[in-house]
Amino acid sequence: MSRILVSNDDGIAAEGLAALARALEAVGEVWVVAPEREQSAASHSLTLHKPLRVYEAGPRRFAVSGTPTDCVNMAVHELMPGPPEVVVSGINRGANLGDDVTYSGTVSAAMEGTLLGIPSVAVSQLFWEPADFTAAADFAAALVGGLLEGARGGRRLPEDTLLNVNVPDLPADRIAGVRWTVQGKRRFTKEQVIEKVDPRGRKYYWVGGSELEWVGNPDSDHTAVTAGCISVTPVHLDLTNHKALETLAGWNMEWHGRRYSR
Ligand code: MN
């Protein structure tokens, strides 16, 4: 039976994690290794300057006093009897679309899995109150089942590539479809940082409180979820802008007589 590692950034007690783990039980042997506390927007950070503690929360269930990246490392190198066949992160409470993937702890757990050479998937659901993760969990189980079956036939995810899944806040029968998408782009506005004054008369700031505007790319993750579709974006960990290399070489820059070359 395939071993599946489940992690997240909302913490071990999150409902989205429980829903995901439950749905994946039908697909393989589920191991849960998740942060003991919420680590949303932890990005790809690693704990280097303090010890990590592990708490056993049940059979094949562990809480770690660190980040999502720490959890995947601890699971693969320490807690599991061998590397999992797939890493699944989520289900995050809230979307991870466009540029937000660079802040996301949910996506970073999948990044760490990918760096370790394990096929990895991040699953997020748009905000929904009260949260119902049924459709997202069902989709995740079907997708992961498909990946595992594909791998048995030699069909693997492209190298250095994770799948970033975003599910609209709709019941399954109202989800319009599933789209392969590109990472969307936000327009940053000044209201991103809100200035207020505390009871002692000192200024403080609140980041990311305003409504987001999106660049209207028809192929984007944001466009897909807005149309009621599940978005699946292949995210590549090679951050090099390969097209830019040619342009930059044409700038003929130099340092102490040495031309920048390729
Ligand atoms: Mn989160």
Side-chain angles (χ1 to χ4, degrees), residues 95-148:
N96 276 304
L97 297 164
D99 313 299
D100 283 348
V101 303
T102 61
Y103 308 110
S104 170
T106 306
V107 175
S108 293
M111 279 186 186
E112 194 61 17
T114 307
L115 290 175
L116 294 171
I118 305 160
S120 300
V121 179
V123 186
S124 305
Q125 183 179 286
L126 273 69
F127 198 72
W128 187 358
E129 198 62 66
D132 182 343
F133 296 102
T134 315
D138 185 70
F139 178 77
L143 173 64
V144 169
L147 289 178
L148 290 170

Side-chain angles (χ1 to χ4, degrees), residues 25-158:
E25 293 284 0
V27 183
E29 182 186 86
V30 174
W31 289 67
V32 174
V33 182
E36 61 171 344
R37 292 202 185 88
E38 175 158 0
Q39 295 282 334
S40 292
S43 189
H44 200 192
S45 59
L46 197 59
T47 302
L48 292 179
H49 303 292
K50 57 183 182 189
L52 287 176
R53 307 283 177 188
V54 177
Y55 307 92
E56 217 170 324
R60 306 193 308 272
R61 299 282 189 281
F62 301 89
V64 175
S65 65
T67 65
T69 302
D70 294 327
C71 290
V72 173
N73 271 307
M74 283 297 296
V76 173
H77 298 303
E78 188 66 31
L79 300 171
M80 296 181 70
E85 272 155 76
V86 61
V87 174
V88 192
S89 178
I91 299 166
N92 190 59
R93 200 160 183 276
N96 276 304
L97 297 164
D99 313 299
D100 283 348
V101 303
T102 61
Y103 308 110
S104 170
T106 306
V107 175
S108 293
M111 279 186 186
E112 194 61 17
T114 307
L115 290 175
L116 294 171
I118 305 160
S120 300
V121 179
V123 186
S124 305
Q125 183 179 286
L126 273 69
F127 198 72
W128 187 358
E129 198 62 66
D132 182 343
F133 296 102
T134 315
D138 185 70
F139 178 77
L143 173 64
V144 169
L147 289 178
L148 290 170
E149 202 182 312
R152 282 190 281 274
R155 190 195 66 190
R156 310 202 113 246
L157 279 178

Side-chain angles (χ1 to χ4, degrees), residues 134-246:
T134 315
D138 185 70
F139 178 77
L143 173 64
V144 169
L147 289 178
L148 290 170
E149 202 182 312
R152 282 190 281 274
R155 190 195 66 190
R156 310 202 113 246
L157 279 178
E159 213 174 327
D160 298 328
T161 302
L162 64 92
L163 297 181
N164 182 34
V165 176
N166 279 277
V167 180
D169 46 349
L170 294 168
D173 59 348
R174 288 183 52 211
I175 290 178
V178 185
R179 286 192 197 166
W180 295 108
T181 57
V182 305
Q183 192 181 312
K185 203 151 181 52
R186 280 192 333 208
R187 256 186 269 274
F188 280 84
T189 55
K190 193 185 174 300
E191 300 79 58
Q192 276 289 308
V193 177
I194 295 162
E195 185 185 296
K196 298 259 179 190
V197 177
D198 75 16
R200 292 184 181 140
R202 288 183 56 200
K203 281 180 193 167
Y204 68 93
Y205 300 90
W206 204 265
V207 176
S210 48
E211 280 291 302
L212 306 174
E213 263 182 61
W214 292 83
V215 175
N217 178 348
D219 301 327
S220 81
D221 48 10
H222 179 257
T223 304
V225 294
T226 306
C229 291
I230 294 172
S231 161
V232 189
T233 309
V235 173
H236 197 201
L237 292 195
D238 176 2
L239 299 180
T240 314
N241 184 344
H242 290 274
K243 278 188 277 182
L245 285 170
E246 211 52 54

